[in-house]
Structure formats: structure tokens, C-alpha cells
Amino acid sequence: MAVTSSKEGKFSGMDQGKYVRYTAEQVEALERLYHECPKPSSIRRQQLIRECPILSNIEPKQIKVWFQNRRCREKQRKEASRLQAVNRKLSAMNKLLMEENDRLQKQVSQLVYENGYFRQQLQNASIATTDTSCESVVTSVKHQQQNHLTPRDPPRDASPAGLLSIAEETLTEFLSKAKGNAVEWIQMPGMKPGPDAIGIVTISHGCTGVAARACSLVGIDPTKVAEILKDRTSWLRDCRSVDVLTAFSTGNGGTVELLYMQMYAPTTLASARDFWTLRYTSVLEDGSLVVCERSLSGTQGGPSMPAVQHFVRAEMQPSGYLIRPCEGGGSLIHIVDHMDLEPWSVPEVLRPLYESSTVLAQKVTMAALRHLRQIAQEVSSDVVLGWGRQPAALRTFSQRLCKGFNEAVNGFTDDGWSLMGNDGMDDVTILINSSPSKLLGQQFASSDGLPALGGGILCAKASMLLQNVPPALLVRFLREHRSEWADSNIDAYSAASWKASPCTVPSSRIGGFGGGGQVILPLAHTVEHEEFLEVIKLENNGLTQEEALLSRDMFLLQLCSGIDENAVGACAELVFAPIDASLADSSPLLPSGFRVIPLDSGMDGSSPNRTLDLASALEIGSAGTRTSVDYGGNSSNLRSVLTIAFQFTFENHLRENVATMARQYVRGVVASVQRVAMALAPSRLGSHLGPRLPPGTPEALTLARWVCQSYRFHLGVELLRPNSEVNESVLKTLWHHSDAIMCCSLKSLPIFTFANQAGLDMLETTLVALQDISLEKILDDNGRKSFCSDIAQIMQQGYAYLPAGVCVSSMGRPASYDRAIAWKVLNDEENPHCIAFMFMNWSFV
């Protein structure tokens, strides 16, 4: 049978060698049905024929072929569209690379010319007489100085004509940096151009101040790009405010604005910065849109801005954005940031932070590109994220968390903060804010989010210097293992303090925090996964009945960023705030958290599970010698500054009690973080010997030997491939074994004491926190039942094979495995020491 149509392209397949064609009405009906159900079952296809009489003369098999072909065409269309988008991006990146190549060739030519010129000058100086040479040089230098000091332009004033003159000069200088060689640009460490890269990112070499430049393609039209970038407070987390004090249009269609901008200080150890700038927006002859900006100072003759208390006036050299329309949509953008952050005004230990172009690139230049890419992704697809929330709403939550934490770290008086007297020690600073409406906004402060009896907000903060710990590694650990530093009493108080009923101020548990676990509920992440927004559900294990009643439905809204250890110069943060389970947009937020900022530009990309040495990271048993071992690389030279800030609400009659509790709590958190940092950091001992992988103490080497010997004794085969009889090679081979190998104690509640790299990956933990994980916690119901039935066999026979099953990591993720083996580990006296497990072919579900 063949159904024909005069229109071309209406055939769908063939049956017994005959093409089948459909009428326009039939195709229209099939298309309508396809959009309702792209892959109908056999019963559904027969139902379609009955419901649609126009298809009654077509066999069900032909309907099936039509839907198959239609799905294939849809897949081909999507793939073609994707390839076209990739091709456009590659063409745009190729254009950027060609421009960069031209710039570098010009720079090489200039350097070759200068090299030849200086060489000729040296030769002339060697053969000339001393007196004549001196006269000539002095005369030449004086002439050059006179030419340099002679102003090329008449002095400018604060009139529109004078400001436009400054604006045009700013535009010229900015373009010479964006497309020329006014600044010597070098590739930023760790950045490799490519189709998946954020763009071409370079930093300055040898110029005044710090500077960074980026070139990239974004899928947003130029006008929208300019609008987004000019709104600095929406994407630059360190920007407190931008005020436009004056604005006027120019004759060429441009706009000149005078801006006053305030920037937060990243730590409690330095003052905040502010800028007084002129911003010029204009369109070039080729249609490119330019937004350029520079500081105004007395030497330029423009208007001045008096100094503001608590702020250090920094200088912005000509900077800005060059935005060009791209063929096929989107924009090609050049970003230049060039600043002098006045490093002389900060403690010497912090000066690398203010003198690093890499830090500027991460915090400002690349932040702009990431924000644009995030907006482009949200615009191109209808994205609904965790808990059914729109991306813009979740992005607002992230901004509010960062802003609230920055306000706590800085404690500006115009927000209502004032210093509270200390207890004789200056390690923790206490600030109080009795006017929270200035900080939270009137709609938040007047709600039931603050104690009804009258009160305010108290902030306890501290900063400390860390050695040899990558910021990403430390923050990742703090995120994954909250019980290592947090106190469930304080969490319960913080959660209850936002409720209408008052609660008793708890006492902080110094020297050992208690509390249950946490469940991480993802909300959203950025395109490059450098930032995560999540809800933390706190379990109330170990609380008293009264505390458990207060802490019901304890949730934290948490923002984690900078945990990619390969991101050179990136700051790592963990910021959180109590929140109601409804996650309402109007919920007040009182953020607390940690910020770790690297002070050295050379970052060591190391594994998060670097603490292989059992004795250096854990206390196994009741006693043991803690021996530190070097883990190689440059991590022993890492320095970073950690800033901690915790905020609490208080009622006026309990202010002193809350202050005492907060001070003790922050000191306890500092002590816990120091303990964790020491466990995560390698020792300086032996650093000159280079990396030794894996390191090990006698305890670790002995355990590895017992595990392998017991496996051979019970099962009659080797656990490891024959390599070497040296103990350290046994530990190394065990550590890198592809299957997850773990050891747990012989107790009523077995606790893990060791895991190899695959085991730590499977449990999503580190050796530092491994002792907090019990065997019961990672097994599902079937696994627990199987282990209970097999434990007698393991102790009698020495081993048991466990069926395929599912484990749960410390982060709550299920991991399946094909099969597992458990065996009894014997010590040298052939007494049971522990039980070892090997999970084979595991993967996250």
C-alpha cells in the first residue's frame, strides 16, 4: 500500500520497497500528535488511528516508521544547531586569537627594535669620549624631560567640555590596552585557551599597579552586555555600592558619568577601598560599544571628592569594556581592569593580595565573564532549578549571602555597627548593631525575624594566617564535615532566634563540638561549577529534648565557592545563614562563615585526599606518635589568610551573655580549624627531597602489610600484583589500587580507620574525617542485613563474599558496586586486628 501526495518531502519510510507519502492534512495531524507524545507505544499508535479518521488508511507499522523518522530528524536538527553554535564560537575565538597573534607580533617587532637600539647605544658609548658623551647624554635627557613635562593639552576643569576631554583621553588609553601593547600582557597561570575555556585571560607584567585583561565570546547582544557590566553590584561581590553623582550626554551620542564606588575589604586586617571615577560610554565608528573608566585626581583638573572615613582611596587606571557584535548573535568582549590598590596601607603580610594581578583577574575580570556566561545560559534555556526556583531568585540569595557576610567582616558605622569592649584579649572582635533595619532593611527587621522584646545583631569575627594549606582544600573539608567544627547547641540557638519565641542562650562546648550530621540539598551551581548554592538540613542527633524541640526543621542556606584547587589565585568561601524551610524570597538572612584568601600567586594543584599518612592526620587508638610527612610540591610555601565571622541575634537583657557565648564559640571554631589545617597540611621536613608518594609511617606500612598477608592467607591469592618486597611499595600499590579498600575496627559499632584513594573517593571524605564514619552509616538496609549474617563467617572462616549492593557516601550519594569481599586482618601474633573490605567496580548512581 502507498499513500501518495503531490508535495515533496512528505515521505516517511518504505514498506516492502515502496515509499509512503502523506497528505498535508495527515502530516499536520501527525505533527500535532508528535508534540503531544514523541514516542507512542504500540497501543497508543492504534489508539491514534482510531481517534484520527484521516489516518485510518495508514497501517500502524507505517505510523511507527513515521515517528521513528520524525525523532531522528529532530535529533539531527538539534545536533546541527549545536554544531553551528560550536562553529560560531570557534570562529569567534579564532578571530580573537588572530588579533592576539597580531598584537604579539607587533610586540616582538618592537622588542627587537629596542634591543638593536640599546645595543647600538652601548657600542657608541664605548667608543665616544667621556666628556662629550656626558654632555650629550645630559643635554638629551634634559630635552626629553622638558618635552615630557610640557603639557600637551590645556588644563581641564569640571565643565562638560573639560570632562569630555578627560573622557576622550581615557577612551584612547583604554583601547591601547585592550587591543594594543600599552601594557605588556602575559598569559595567566593555569589558563589555557580553547573552545571550552572561559576566554583568553592575561595579566600585566611590570606595569604600575595591577592589571588583567580578558577576551571572550558571550551569547548576549552588546547593549545588554554593557547594561549588565555597568551594574557592578549585581556581579562584583566585593562591590558595596556605586553612586552616579553626575551624568550628561555628549554630542556624539555618548554618556559621561561621575561615579563614587565603595569596595569591601576582604579581611578584618585591612581597610576598605573606594574610587572616584569618570565613566564614558560611547559607540565607535565600526559599531563597537565601549564603556571605559578612570579615576579623577587633581592632576587632571577634574572635580575632586573628599576622603571618606574608614576608606582608603584607590586609583583606577584607564579600564573598561570593548563590546563588538558577533556574526550569528552574541558579542565579542574585551575587558581590561587596571588598578592601584594602595598596598602601602595594609600590613606587609597582606600586600601580595593587593599587588597580585592574578588575584585581580580572579576577583574582578573573570567574575564579569562568569556572570555574563551564567546570564546567557539562563536566557538561552528555560531553566528551573532546585525547589522549583527560577535562576534569578537563587542568584539573589547568593548575592544577599555574600553581601551580608561582607558587611559583617567590615562592620561599617553607617550600617549601625559599633565596637563592643573585649575581655582582655584581642583575638576576637565583637561588634553590635542595635539598628538592624539599616543592615537587613525595614521589611526584614520589622518582621518576626528578630526578637520581639527589642535587641539587635552581634558579630564575632577574627582573622588568622595559615601555612601550607590550599584554601580550596580547607573550605571543601569545612563544607563536607561540619561536625568537625560546628556546635549543634549554637546551630539550634541560631535557628530558634529567628522565631517569635525567645530561647535560652547556650554555652559553647570548648574543645569538642557535638552534634549530628548534615544532609546537603543542592539548589543551583554556576556554569563552571565554581560556586554552589545549597540547603543544609541539620540532624539533631545528641541534643537534649529541649534543644531538639527548638531545632526542629533546622535549615541553613549555604554558598560555597572557590573549591577548585586548580584555580590560581582564587579565594575560597563558605557562607551560610539560618533559613525557614519555605525558602521564601523575603526571608531575612544573617550570614556567617569562612573566607580563605591565598597570599601567594603560585598555587599547588594537589589532591584533596593528600593526607595518606595515618599517624600524621589521625589519632588511632589511645596513644601514638604523630609524625608529619612531606607531600611534595610547592604547598609548603603556601600562605593564606582565614577570616571568620559569625552573627547572632540578641535581646537587650541578654546582650552580655550572647557576647560571651559568641566569643567562646569563635575561639573554639578557630582552634578546630587550626587542628584541621595542621592535619591537612604537609610538614616542611624533607621538603627539599621532593615528593614521596605515598608517604607513610611505621603504623601505615605495617597495616598495609597485614592487609595483604591476611588476604593471601585466607583466600590463597595475592591482593596486589607482585612489585617489590619493600614495605613502602606495598603501601603505595595498595593506595593506588583501582578498587575501594577500607579497614574498620572490631567494635560493636565498627568505625573506619583506613581507606585507599579509591575508598576515600567512594566515601567522599578524607583520612582526617574517616574516623567519624561508621560501617553502619554507609550500608543500605540490604547491606546491613548481609553483613550481620556474614560477620560470623568472616570471623570463623576468615573471609566472605558479599553480593552486589549500594553504599552511601558521607555526602549522601549512593554508590553501587558489583561485588565485595570482606576478610579478617591478622597482626603478627595472628590475632584479629580489624576487618578489611574491598568494593569492586564501584560507581556513583
Side-chain angles (χ1 to χ4, degrees):
M1 180 192 73
V3 181
T4 61
S5 172
S6 60
K7 295 188 178 182
E8 294 293 330
K10 303 298 183 184
F11 63 86
S12 173
M14 56 182 182
D15 182 23
Q16 296 178 352
K18 297 180 180 179
Y19 286 102
V20 178
R21 294 179 179 271
Y22 301 88
T23 65
E25 292 78 10
Q26 288 174 331
V27 171
E28 183 179 353
L30 289 169
E31 286 286 347
R32 185 172 60 253
L33 297 172
Y34 175 82
H35 288 295
E36 295 175 1
C37 180
K39 195 174 183 179
S41 63
S42 175
I43 297 176
R44 178 59 177 152
R45 290 195 299 269
Q46 294 176 0
Q47 183 182 358
L48 292 176
I49 294 175
R50 290 194 299 269
E51 293 175 352
C52 194
I54 198 173
L55 302 176
S56 59
N57 62 335
I58 304 177
E59 296 179 2
K61 184 178 180 181
Q62 296 299 337
I63 298 291
K64 177 181 179 181
V65 172
W66 187 92
F67 273 93
Q68 288 175 343
N69 291 343
R70 181 63 178 81
R71 290 195 300 271
C72 183
R73 290 197 302 273
E74 180 72 14
K75 185 177 180 180
Q76 290 174 341
R77 184 188 65 79
K78 291 181 178 179
E79 180 65 12
S81 176
R82 186 189 69 83
L83 291 175
Q84 287 174 356
V86 171
N87 183 61
R88 286 196 301 269
K89 183 174 181 179
L90 289 174
S91 298
M93 292 299 293
N94 182 60
K95 184 177 180 180
L96 285 176
L97 289 171
M98 291 175 64
E99 292 177 354
E100 182 70 4
N101 186 55
D102 291 341
R103 186 190 67 81
L104 291 174
Q105 287 181 346
K106 292 178 182 178
Q107 186 176 5
V108 168
S109 300
Q110 179 68 19
L111 291 173
V112 169
Y113 170 77
E114 291 178 357
N115 184 54
Y117 174 78
F118 288 127
R119 184 172 295 176
Q120 184 65 38
Q121 290 295 314
L122 289 173
Q123 291 176 353
N124 294 341
S126 64
I127 61 175
T129 61
T130 305
D131 294 341
T132 306
S133 175
C134 286
E135 275 184 27
S136 175
V137 169
V138 171
T139 304
S140 174
V141 169
K142 286 183 177 180
H143 180 69
Q144 290 175 5
Q145 288 178 344
Q146 289 173 358
N147 289 340
H148 177 71
L149 295 174
T150 301
R152 291 174 294 177
D153 301 314
R156 275 75 57 92
D157 52 27
S159 66
L163 293 176
L164 181 58
S165 175
I166 298 174
E168 293 291 348
E169 182 181 287
T170 303
L171 174 62
T172 301
E173 294 188 35
F174 161 69
L175 291 176
S176 68
K177 297 176 184 178
K179 302 178 67 176
N181 294 315
V183 172
E184 182 181 350
W185 301 109
I186 60 174
Q187 183 172 313
M188 180 175 166
M191 295 298 298
K192 296 181 179 179
D196 297 325
I198 191 173
I200 303 172
V201 183
T202 55
I203 57 176
S204 62
H205 177 67
C207 74
T208 302
V210 291
R213 188 187 68 162
C215 313
S216 187
L217 170 69
V218 293
I220 311 175
D221 67 85
T223 305
K224 184 65 175 178
V225 170
E227 178 185 333
I228 292 172
L229 292 177
K230 290 171 75 171
D231 183 16
R232 270 202 187 95
T233 54
S234 69
W235 59 267
L236 184 55
R237 299 286 170 81
D238 288 343
C239 183
R240 185 192 186 206
S241 62
V242 177
D243 297 319
V244 181
L245 303 185
T246 302
F248 64 89
S249 300
T250 62
N252 57 5
T255 304
V256 174
E257 301 164 291
L258 299 186
L259 310 179
Y260 175 65
M261 178 172 65
Q262 291 183 344
M263 303 283 285
Y264 292 110
T267 78
T268 62
L269 304 176
S271 299
R273 264 52 182 164
D274 65 352
F275 295 84
W276 169 238
T277 64
L278 177 147
R279 184 168 69 190
Y280 182 34
T281 305
S282 62
V283 179
L284 302 182
E285 293 180 356
D286 62 357
S288 299
L289 185 59
V290 177
V291 181
C292 57
E293 189 173 357
R294 78 174 306 160
S295 287
L296 291 173
S297 60
T299 59
Q300 295 158 342
S304 60
M305 164 70 72
V308 178
Q309 189 179 13
H310 306 304
F311 286 87
V312 173
R313 183 64 48 83
E315 183 177 2
M316 181 183 295
Q317 302 287 349
S319 307
Y321 319 107
L322 170 62
I323 312 164
R324 295 181 289 175
C326 184
E327 295 180 9
S331 305
L332 281 171
I333 178 172
H334 290 70
I335 300 178
V336 174
D337 292 299
H338 190 178
M339 302 178 184
D340 185 349
L341 298 173
E342 304 295 333
W344 57 267
S345 64
V346 301
E348 187 173 355
V349 69
L350 290 182
R351 287 183 187 173
L353 181 61
Y354 291 79
E355 296 173 338
S356 171
S357 294
T358 300
V359 173
L360 178 70
Q362 283 283 2
K363 293 177 64 176
V364 183
T365 314
M366 294 174 65
L369 288 183
R370 290 191 180 106
H371 184 73
L372 290 171
R373 294 184 73 185
Q374 189 70 32
I375 297 294
Q377 185 194 51
E378 295 170 5
V379 170
S380 63
S381 58
D382 188 14
V383 180
V384 178
L385 300 173
W387 295 21
R389 308 304 295 269
Q390 293 294 328
L394 297 181
R395 194 165 58 249
T396 300
F397 273 129
S398 299
Q399 292 167 352
R400 288 177 56 199
L401 282 172
C402 285
K403 184 176 180 63
F405 184 69
N406 277 322
E407 294 287 357
V409 169
N410 285 263
F412 295 117
T413 54
D414 57 355
D415 281 330
W417 290 105
S418 60
L419 187 64
M420 189 175 181
N422 60 33
D423 60 352
M425 300 175 63
D426 57 358
D427 57 332
V428 177
T429 301
I430 301 291
L431 298 176
I432 58 172
N433 192 327
S434 299
S435 304
S437 60
K438 292 183 179 181
L439 192 66
L440 299 175
Q442 193 65 42
Q443 73 276 20
F444 296 141
S446 60
S447 69
D448 61 352
L450 287 173
L453 301 180
I457 298 172
L458 182 146
C459 175
K461 57 186 181 179
S463 291
M464 56 187 287
L465 187 67
L466 298 177
Q467 296 277 1
N468 311 338
V469 183
L473 176 59
L474 177 59
V475 167
R476 181 183 299 177
F477 183 90
L478 296 175
R479 169 180 177 257
E480 296 176 0
H481 305 285
R482 184 178 178 86
S483 61
E484 287 289 325
W485 56 267
D487 187 340
S488 55
N489 268 348
I490 307 299
D491 287 334
Y493 171 78
S494 297
S497 63
W498 288 103
K499 301 174 183 177
S501 58
C503 55
T504 305
V505 179
S507 59
S508 179
R509 301 170 186 167
I510 302 301
F513 294 146
Q518 63 175 353
V519 178
I520 298 179
L521 308 172
L523 276 179
H525 60 76
T526 51
V527 176
E528 297 180 345
H529 294 258
E530 79 281 348
E531 185 175 281
F532 299 87
L533 183 67
E534 51 205 12
V535 170
I536 308 300
K537 183 178 179 181
L538 300 177
E539 299 173 345
N540 55 14
N541 301 337
L543 296 180
T544 64
Q545 185 175 0
E546 180 184 358
E547 291 167 345
L549 184 65
L550 286 174
S551 64
R552 280 187 305 177
D553 299 329
M554 279 180 15
F555 294 94
L556 298 176
L557 183 65
Q558 180 167 279
L559 183 70
C560 182
S561 62
I563 58 175
D564 178 9
E565 289 189 68
N566 296 320
V568 179
C571 162
E573 288 184 340
L574 185 69
V575 180
F576 46 86
I579 195 167
D580 188 78
S582 64
L583 202 65
D585 294 341
S586 59
S587 299
L589 297 179
L590 199 61
S592 303
F594 307 87
R595 173 180 291 150
V596 191
I597 308 173
L599 297 176
D600 305 286
S601 58
M603 303 293 286
D604 178 33
S606 52
S607 168
N609 296 320
R610 58 159 84 226
T611 51
L612 174 59
D613 179 0
L614 297 179
S616 69
L618 303 173
E619 293 288 346
I620 300 178
S622 60
T625 303
R626 293 177 57 88
T627 306
S628 296
V629 182
D630 177 54
Y631 288 84
N634 296 323
S635 58
S636 61
N637 297 321
L638 276 179
R639 294 182 307 160
S640 55
V641 59
L642 167 67
T643 297
I644 301 175
F646 282 81
Q647 298 190 80
F648 307 93
T649 59
F650 67 87
E651 299 173 16
N652 284 331
H653 67 288
L654 294 174
R655 188 177 74 175
E656 294 297 331
N657 302 59
V658 175
T660 301
M661 176 271 293
R663 185 178 285 111
Q664 291 178 346
Y665 183 51
V666 169
R667 284 174 180 159
V669 171
V670 167
S672 297
V673 172
Q674 287 176 327
R675 176 179 58 83
V676 169
M678 289 179 62
L680 294 177
S683 168
R684 291 178 179 274
L685 297 177
S687 60
H688 62 283
L689 300 177
R692 277 198 308 135
L693 294 175
T697 59
E699 292 88 347
L701 301 172
T702 301
L703 179 60
R705 179 168 54 84
W706 289 348
V707 167
C708 297
Q709 286 179 351
S710 300
Y711 188 88
R712 183 193 315 117
F713 176 77
H714 296 307
L715 285 89
V717 294
E718 294 289 347
L719 175 62
L720 308 175
R721 289 179 298 176
N723 184 20
S724 174
E725 295 301 322
V726 181
N727 285 341
E728 190 171 348
S729 295
V730 173
L731 177 58
K732 178 178 179 179
T733 309
L734 184 70
W735 174 254
H736 291 294
H737 198 285
S738 58
D739 293 324
I741 300 175
M742 313 169 193
C743 296
C744 66
S745 59
L746 290 171
K747 297 180 179 179
S748 57
L749 183 63
I751 301 295
F752 286 107
T753 57
F754 171 77
N756 67 349
Q757 178 70 69
L760 294 176
D761 292 341
M762 179 177 172
L763 297 179
E764 293 191 287
T765 187
T766 64
L767 280 172
V768 179
L770 190 63
Q771 61 183 345
D772 295 330
I773 303 175
S774 64
L775 178 63
E776 183 181 23
K777 197 171 183 179
I778 74 161
L779 296 176
D780 61 1
D781 291 337
N782 293 332
R784 281 192 287 269
K785 292 177 183 177
S786 176
F787 178 74
C788 290
S789 62
D790 292 333
I791 183 64
Q793 178 184 346
I794 295 172
M795 298 308 294
Q796 292 178 5
Q797 181 179 315
Y799 71 97
Y801 288 99
L802 308 179
V806 176
C807 286
V808 180
S809 76
S810 64
M811 303 297 292
R813 285 209 293 172
S816 63
Y817 55 90
D818 289 350
R819 66 180 182 132
I821 301 176
W823 68 97
K824 180 170 58 176
V825 177
L826 305 176
N827 59 21
D828 291 332
E829 287 75 32
E830 297 188 359
N831 295 322
H833 176 75
C834 64
I835 296 178
F837 292 85
M838 181 164 63
F839 298 92
M840 298 180 224
N841 298 327
W842 70 272
S843 62
F844 288 115
V845 178

